[in-house]
């Protein structure tokens, strides 16, 4: 309620913190914590608290932190006699091992990787709350770095960092420059089938944020196709590897569900006629609920609720045949661990107003656990 005070406090906080982020010989762990702290502060402060010069300075600082971290990694490799950190070395590593993940863990500090992530998180806070200033002061430079890091021969962690940047830009900074779509999106879609689950997860998330934008239309059909394949593979138990990698693969499938939802909501014509759209909605329903990603669970639950509230015919299916599955999912979603209070209230209101005479909502058509919880939520017989 006192924006002037917030601006003053934020300026004083930055005045004290920024010199601590410009240490020429930093401790990556301490620097990471400071950068995350500044990002959280700006995220909670909200829009309009920074001037354009401050946005420009913080954008440049974020890129400088990333660049300095990469320089330290290259220096460490050189000291260890591993040669220059270039595409040829990385290509040879991938050819000999099939995956660079083990080598990456040995070669560089987790703290440095987290520091680079913190720098992108800081930039994302600027994109979210100061989009116009960021577009003029930082977007071009971040797009250039994203293009460089997203190259297919780069390390998995570098490509994930690029996808993290791209996700923030698409989610908060608006449309990408027109010239960047043809070079970026095909690579993002290729990365949705990368052998490393973490890369797939980041790529599907980037595609889901881009999917809201009109310029994504030429890529929507292929994105949906890849999302369907990823969900079928993960939910069908087709993933191999450790328990951890299996969980990451399920997380990638959660993000793939969001890709389907964004395509259906914003680019339905790319899917086909009403029958084709209904088929994709049915696949989406079968892949729910999300298994690993709480944010995607809330996101998809809200999509489901809104589509039902709007009586989306393709989602409901012929003769409202999908209502049983929809009700079961909404009942499961009506949980403080899944959605916020406002969404829970909307779900309960919708469930309370359902026509219980529909055959798909008869007691025998719903699992006993769902029927019992439905009764608990809305007092239905």
């Amino acid at each position: 309620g006192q924006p002037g005070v917030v601006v003053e406090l934020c300026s004083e906080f930055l005045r004290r913190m920024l010199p601590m982020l410009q240490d020429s010989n930093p401790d990556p762990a301490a620097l990471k914590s400071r950068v995350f702290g500044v990002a959280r502060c700006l995220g909670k402060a909200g829009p309009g608290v920074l001037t354009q010069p401050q946005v420009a300075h913080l954008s440049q600082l974020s890129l400088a932190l990333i660049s300095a971290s990469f320089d330290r990694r290259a220096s460490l490799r050189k000291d260890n006699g591993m040669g220059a950190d270039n595409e040829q070395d990385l290509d040879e590593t991938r050819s000999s091992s099939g995956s660079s993940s083990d080598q990456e863990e040995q070669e560089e500090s987790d703290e440095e990787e987290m520091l680079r992530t913190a720098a992108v998180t800081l930039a994302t806070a600027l994109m979210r709350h100061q989009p116009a200033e960021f577009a003029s002061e930082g977007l071009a430079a971040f797009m250039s770095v994203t293009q460089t890091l997203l190259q297919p021969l780069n390390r998995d962690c570098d490509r994930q960092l690029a996808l993290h940047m791209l996700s923030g830009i698409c989610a908060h900074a608006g449309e990408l420059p027109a010239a960047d779509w043809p070079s970026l999106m095909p690579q993002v879609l290729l990365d949705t089938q990368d052998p490393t689950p973490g890369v797939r997860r980041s790529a599907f998330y980037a595609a889901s944020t881009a999917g809201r934008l009109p310029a994504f239309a030429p890529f929507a059909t292929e994105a949906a196709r890849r999302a369907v394949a990823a969900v079928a593979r993960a939910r069908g138990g087709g993933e191999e590897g450790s328990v951890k990698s299996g969980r990451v693969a399920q997380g990638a499938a959660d993000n793939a569900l969001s890709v389907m939802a964004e395509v259906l909501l914003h680019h339905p014509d790319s899917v086909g006629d009403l029958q084709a759209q209904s088929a994709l909605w049915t696949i989406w329903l079968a892949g729910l609920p999300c298994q690993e990603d709480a944010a995607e669970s809330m996101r998809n639950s809200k999509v489901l609720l809104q589509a039902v509230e709007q009586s989306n015919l393709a989602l409901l299916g012929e003769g409202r045949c999908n209502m049983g599955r929809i009700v079961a999912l909404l009942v499961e979603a009506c949980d403080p661990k899944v959605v916020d209070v406002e969404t829970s209230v909307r779900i309960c209101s919708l469930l309370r107003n359902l026509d219980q005479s529909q055959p798909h909502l008869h007691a025998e058509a719903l699992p006993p656990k769902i029927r019992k919880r439905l009764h608990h939520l809305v007092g239905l017989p």
Side-chain angles (χ1 to χ4, degrees), residues 75-327:
S75 178
L76 178 61
R77 285 173 59 87
K78 184 176 180 180
D79 291 344
N80 290 337
M82 301 185 70
D85 190 356
N86 56 32
E87 292 183 358
Q88 182 177 354
D89 287 342
L90 293 172
D91 189 37
E92 291 172 356
T93 299
R94 287 194 168 209
S95 298
S96 62
S97 66
S99 171
S100 61
S101 58
D102 292 340
Q103 289 84 351
E104 288 173 6
E105 291 176 0
Q106 295 171 7
E107 290 170 20
E108 78 171 315
S109 164
D110 288 343
E111 297 294 348
E112 288 282 10
E113 189 174 332
M114 292 178 69
L115 169 58
R116 296 193 290 273
T117 299
V120 175
T121 303
L122 172 57
T124 302
L126 300 177
M127 300 173 200
R128 180 181 180 185
H129 293 306
Q130 310 274 167
E133 293 85 353
F134 180 83
S136 64
E137 301 294 342
L139 180 59
F142 270 86
M143 288 303 303
S144 177
V145 174
T146 299
Q147 291 271 17
T148 299
L149 294 179
L150 197 58
Q151 296 304 307
L153 293 182
N154 284 340
R155 299 175 177 214
D156 291 347
C157 60
D158 295 354
R159 292 155 63 214
Q160 286 180 262
L161 190 71
L163 291 163
H164 186 180
M165 289 184 191
L166 185 60
S167 299
I169 291 169
C170 290
H172 305 300
E175 286 282 0
L176 301 178
D180 291 319
W181 282 94
S183 57
L184 282 174
M185 280 304 128
Q187 185 58 52
V188 171
L189 295 183
L190 284 175
D191 285 344
T192 62
Q193 293 185 316
D194 192 86
T196 304
V199 174
R200 296 203 300 274
R201 186 174 190 174
S202 298
F204 274 123
Y205 182 68
S208 73
T209 59
R212 302 169 179 171
L213 304 175
F216 188 76
F219 311 99
T221 301
E222 180 64 13
R225 185 187 70 80
R226 290 171 182 261
V228 168
V231 171
R233 181 179 178 186
R235 300 295 196 255
E239 292 289 341
E240 297 180 356
S242 66
V243 173
K244 180 179 179 180
S245 65
R247 294 187 63 182
V248 176
Q250 291 294 347
D254 293 345
N255 283 281
L257 288 169
S258 295
V259 172
M260 289 187 222
E262 297 299 343
V263 168
L264 284 161
L265 291 174
H266 299 288
H267 310 282
D269 291 344
S270 69
V271 179
D273 60 15
L274 187 65
Q275 185 176 3
Q277 293 174 35
S278 185
L280 186 56
W281 277 117
T282 301
I283 294 171
W284 179 73
L285 289 170
L288 292 171
C290 292
Q291 303 294 308
E292 294 292 335
D293 194 317
E296 295 306 297
S297 183
M298 177 178 288
R299 178 180 178 182
N300 280 276
S301 296
K302 287 184 174 182
V303 167
L304 176 61
L305 174 60
Q306 183 177 351
V308 177
E309 288 175 333
Q310 295 174 349
S311 298
N312 185 302
L313 295 179
L315 169 68
L316 298 178
E318 186 176 357
R320 303 172 73 86
C321 62
N322 287 332
M323 277 305 299
R325 176 66 176 161
I326 289 169
V327 168

Side-chain angles (χ1 to χ4, degrees), residues 3-35:
V5 175
V6 175
V7 170
E8 184 178 344
L9 289 173
C10 193
S11 295
E12 177 62 19
F13 175 73
L14 292 176
R15 186 185 70 79
R16 297 188 180 196
M17 285 297 299
L18 291 184
M20 301 173 68
L21 304 185
Q22 297 169 309
D23 188 349
S24 59
N25 189 26
D27 170 19
L31 188 55
K32 169 207 68 180
S33 298
R34 292 168 189 157
V35 177

